[in-house]
Amino acid sequence: MSLQVFGLPVSRGVAIGRAVLVASSRIDVAHYFIDPVDVPAEISRLRLARKQVSGELEDLKRDLPPNAQTEILALLDVHLMLLHDEALAEATCAWIVERHYNAEWAMAAQLEVVARQFDEMEDEYLRERKADLEQVAERVLRALGDPSNGSAITERVGARDFGGEDPLVLVANDISPADMLQFKGSVFTGFITDVGGKNSHTAIVARSLDIPAVVGARDASRLIRQDDWVIIDGDAGLVIVEPSSIVLEEYRFRQRQIQVERERLTRLRHKPAVTLDGERVELLANIELPGDGVAALAGGAEGVGLFRSEFLFMNRDGALPDEEEQYQAYRDAVTIMQGLPVTIRTVDIGSDKPLDRMSVHELRHEHTLNPAMGLRAIRWSLSDPAMFEVQLRAILRAASHGPVRLLVPMLTHLSEIRATFDALRRVRAQLMRESIPHGSVEIGAMVEVPAAALTMPIFLRYFDFVSIGTNDLIQYTLAIDRAEEAVAHLYDPWHPAVLRLIADTISQAHAAGKGISVCGEMAGDIEFTELLLGLGLRSFSMHPAQIPAIKQRILRSDSKRLRAYAAAVMSSDEPRSVGKDVSVAGAKVDAGEQVQKTPREAA
């Protein structure tokens, strides 16, 4: 039977595929596809794990004291019976053989299927046996995680298409930003999560991957079953489960239309972004990994406006990348960009991007009452000088291969600015003493905290350029945790206070003759293109996939007319209503007539 699930639209487009559920578990489960040649080895891993658990349970039975209650013995017998159930074992192996899931994923997927069967049983005693099944499955999962259990395949190969013939969509309670990166170029054509906000980092990475996504869909992972056909309408925030043939064909037609439009926009790749009145606009790319530079060039980017270096630090079981590894990554990004500038942001760890292990000053993310306000970004870097200097050395060395700009996140205090420049001076001196080739870099500051925007004259005296991170700026200005569902509706880029901070920062940077860009989500949102142009912004940085649509909007805009439009938006009590009324077609409506009156003036 077809059903609809509603959530928050976070990444546009349409995805159609079979559901792949990442089941919740009390222990971490690795999810990756294996090479077909490794199927026998993965099945062998599963069998060895079952044999190991069987031995553990038999040992427990043997070691029971003579006066032990018979219920305990019966419980162990039930667990052994479930463990040796050949139907359950064969069904688990089928996930490995047919879908090329790794053994842990196969076990978790089959557990999800059987657990639902238990839930539907009328007999209360049988329903309660689900807990026994879960305990046995988790024992097997722990055994699979034991390095002594065969030759475990640890490399995640999600970017390789071993998922079968049908397209797949991922369904989970939640997905971390680091895990999202596993899906680049993978078999997943879209994803759905039960939790999450429209501007959480998970949602942002989804947009950067340019795949349709819906978050905050509440009970999606409970209502959707393994292998269900699912449609994700990323524009409406709608998930259709087991659609009718008519609905399926309608959405396939929409998919084809979207693809045709994207192909049309790619023709703008080599066309300069110039407004109708001759204003040149710089379009840069946000990237997470060095190889993303290929997509940046393909999208027509004029450089990298934000290289999020923290993603080099994730999914590493707590082992931080050393200087050589970082240097090679930054060098690769610089080389790929073929002489175009690359802006590398120093590691922005914390909040919803924690590491597995946080240096000598360990960041206990799960125990931090308000991680967004805690030890993160430059605060963490300055708390661990050795780690920070390793990153700075790697960046300066990479600068010998091409133009590099250094961007420092979440600065608020003059003391932090001075400490950052002191660290740079020490690193330069070290490299010179060691005769290691390195280059000079422009140094910029992220403006993502209201304190930075309000003390812009100090920042402009020290830095060569500034870049506005609108995601965090909105979060901190409005005191809204953008990853928190309960307050996500209050996260408002159109809020007058947010727009005033952005406008003032742009104005002051221009007055000081310093470079200014926006690298947050607003830069890649066509809803804000005209407003930012009208405020004087001439440098946008966004995911490569967003560049063509933004370029098209710029080519159709007249910056002189947009100044009046921006003034109307800025003077309104409700900027959103004014912005949406006149932003279409380059603000052809007389913006001067759109200024709203206060209730007193209207009276």
Side-chain angles (χ1 to χ4, degrees):
M1 183 181 74
S2 180
L3 62 93
Q4 295 183 348
V5 181
F6 293 90
L8 300 173
V10 296
S11 187
R12 296 174 178 177
V14 172
I16 301 172
R18 288 194 178 274
V20 174
L21 269 70
V22 177
S24 299
S25 174
R26 283 172 285 184
I27 63 174
D28 291 333
V29 177
H31 299 80
Y32 54 90
F33 294 101
I34 61 170
D35 193 299
V37 300
D38 293 322
V39 165
E42 203 68 7
I43 291 175
S44 177
R45 282 187 64 219
L46 183 60
R47 288 173 177 162
L48 284 171
R50 289 174 59 213
K51 183 177 180 180
Q52 179 179 323
V53 173
S54 178
E56 292 170 359
L57 294 175
E58 292 289 358
D59 288 344
L60 287 172
K61 281 182 63 178
R62 188 174 52 253
D63 295 338
L64 283 176
N67 61 345
Q69 294 182 355
T70 57
E71 288 85 353
I72 298 177
L73 182 62
L75 177 63
L76 291 174
D77 283 335
V78 169
H79 283 201
L80 280 165
M81 180 184 68
L82 290 169
L83 184 66
H84 293 307
D85 186 330
E86 285 303 319
L88 180 62
E90 289 174 7
T92 305
C93 289
W95 291 106
I96 300 174
V97 174
E98 296 171 11
R99 283 293 182 81
H100 303 133
Y101 288 3
N102 64 302
E104 292 89 342
W105 191 357
M107 173 61 70
Q110 188 58 26
L111 173 61
E112 180 76 18
V113 171
V114 179
R116 293 192 183 203
Q117 294 172 355
F118 274 95
D119 287 338
E120 294 168 359
M121 291 177 179
E122 294 183 4
D123 187 286
E124 183 178 355
Y125 174 81
L126 291 176
R127 282 202 308 272
E128 290 177 354
R129 299 286 64 77
K130 185 178 84 167
D132 295 316
L133 175 68
E134 290 172 339
Q135 291 166 10
V136 170
E138 290 190 5
R139 276 185 174 273
V140 176
L141 288 170
R142 289 191 182 93
L144 284 167
D146 183 354
S148 65
N149 178 34
S151 56
I153 303 169
T154 57
E155 179 190 4
R156 294 191 176 195
V157 290
R160 298 158 68 182
D161 189 351
F162 301 133
E165 294 181 1
D166 292 330
L168 305 177
V169 298
L170 189 69
V171 184
N173 178 257
D174 195 13
I175 307 171
S176 74
D179 286 340
M180 282 293 298
L181 288 180
Q182 299 292 339
F183 307 147
K184 285 199 172 186
S186 76
V187 295
F188 297 114
T189 60
F191 82 90
I192 306 158
T193 63
D194 296 339
V195 300
K198 190 171 183 178
N199 291 283
S200 65
H201 271 288
T202 301
I204 291 169
V205 176
R207 285 191 286 272
S208 77
L209 297 178
D210 195 29
I211 58 175
V214 172
V215 303
R218 302 288 179 172
D219 295 325
S221 66
R222 183 180 63 83
L223 296 172
I224 301 171
R225 298 173 181 267
Q226 290 280 4
D227 263 7
D228 277 352
W229 276 102
V230 173
I231 295 172
I232 299 176
D233 186 335
D235 297 285
L238 172 65
V239 177
I240 305 174
V241 185
E242 290 295 297
S244 68
S245 58
I246 295 175
V247 171
L248 194 59
E249 188 52 42
E250 286 178 355
Y251 273 95
R252 282 178 173 153
F253 178 70
R254 277 187 57 185
Q255 272 189 320
R256 291 192 292 270
Q257 285 183 310
I258 292 168
Q259 185 58 36
V260 168
E261 175 63 15
R262 287 184 175 180
E263 290 172 358
R264 188 182 66 80
L265 286 176
T266 58
R267 299 172 190 169
L268 301 176
R269 174 186 171 188
H270 298 295
K271 189 176 182 65
V274 181
T275 63
L276 293 173
D277 57 322
E279 285 287 314
R280 185 76 167 81
V281 180
E282 180 183 49
L283 296 180
L284 305 170
N286 295 344
I287 67 173
E288 285 82 36
L289 297 171
D292 296 344
V294 175
L297 291 175
E302 300 169 69
V304 171
L306 177 63
F307 181 167
R308 298 184 175 101
S309 67
E310 57 270 13
F311 287 96
L312 298 175
F313 290 65
M314 294 180 174
N315 288 337
R316 304 175 57 91
D317 296 323
L320 302 182
D322 61 19
E323 179 182 331
E324 193 61 27
E325 181 180 348
Q326 289 190 61
Y327 160 67
Q328 290 177 8
Y330 306 143
R331 180 201 61 195
D332 289 348
V334 171
T335 303
I336 288 171
M337 292 309 294
Q338 303 173 17
L340 297 173
V342 175
T343 304
I344 303 172
R345 182 174 68 185
T346 60
V347 61
D348 186 7
I349 288 299
S351 187
D352 58 353
K353 293 183 292 182
L355 293 185
D356 303 313
R357 180 182 59 79
M358 302 300 289
S359 78
V360 293
H361 297 278
E362 199 166 355
L363 174 58
R364 302 289 188 181
H365 174 71
E366 64 273 21
H367 300 307
T368 304
L369 291 177
N370 196 338
M373 303 260 185
L375 186 65
R376 57 167 297 194
I378 190 60
R379 299 170 182 176
W380 181 57
S381 295
L382 293 176
S383 76
D384 191 345
M387 182 284 302
F388 191 36
E389 290 184 7
V390 165
Q391 181 170 39
L392 293 178
R393 284 173 62 96
I395 292 173
L396 290 180
R397 288 174 61 192
S400 65
H401 299 277
V404 170
R405 296 188 285 200
L406 177 69
L407 186 59
V408 186
M410 206 179 172
L411 288 163
T412 55
H413 296 279
L414 179 59
S415 60
E416 293 171 335
I417 296 173
R418 288 173 172 163
T420 299
F421 277 88
D422 286 344
L424 273 165
R425 280 191 287 270
R426 288 196 303 273
V427 166
R428 283 197 188 98
Q430 292 170 8
L431 293 172
M432 291 181 69
R433 285 197 304 271
E434 297 166 20
S435 299
I436 295 176
H438 60 284
S440 59
V441 296
E442 291 185 14
I443 305 169
M446 288 279 289
V447 179
E448 49 192 338
V449 179
L454 294 171
T455 55
M456 193 47 46
I458 296 174
F459 280 69
L460 293 172
R461 283 201 296 271
Y462 281 85
F463 292 98
D464 301 308
F465 68 97
V466 292
S467 185
I468 303 175
T470 54
N471 309 331
D472 274 337
L473 184 62
I474 297 165
Q475 171 173 252
Y476 293 127
T477 301
L478 303 181
I480 299 298
D481 184 347
R482 55 195 167 103
E484 174 56 54
E485 270 187 277
V487 295
H489 64 286
L490 297 173
Y491 182 95
D492 183 13
W494 287 102
H495 194 286
V498 173
L499 297 183
R500 176 52 56 199
L501 291 173
I502 293 172
D504 288 349
T505 301
I506 293 172
S507 175
Q508 291 184 67
H510 284 328
K514 297 295 179 73
I516 170 76
S517 68
V518 170
C519 63
E521 286 293 288
M522 286 176 68
D525 189 339
I526 58 175
E527 192 173 87
F528 294 97
T529 305
E530 286 93 346
L531 175 59
L532 293 172
L533 286 171
L535 293 175
L537 186 71
R538 296 295 181 265
S539 181
F540 296 65
S541 189
M542 66 203 75
H543 185 267
Q546 297 168 323
I547 291 175
I550 298 297
K551 183 181 288 187
Q552 178 178 255
R553 188 61 65 98
I554 290 168
L555 293 170
R556 296 175 177 177
S557 297
D558 184 319
S559 67
K560 290 186 175 65
R561 298 184 68 175
L562 288 175
R563 284 198 290 270
Y565 158 61
V569 173
M570 297 303 297
S571 60
S572 172
D573 291 343
E574 297 182 2
R576 180 187 294 273
S577 61
V578 177
K580 295 209 169 184
D581 280 345
V582 301
S583 65
V584 294
K588 291 181 179 177
V589 177
D590 183 4
E593 297 177 359
Q594 297 294 325
V595 180
Q596 295 186 350
K597 296 181 179 180
T598 66
R600 182 184 299 273
E601 292 169 332

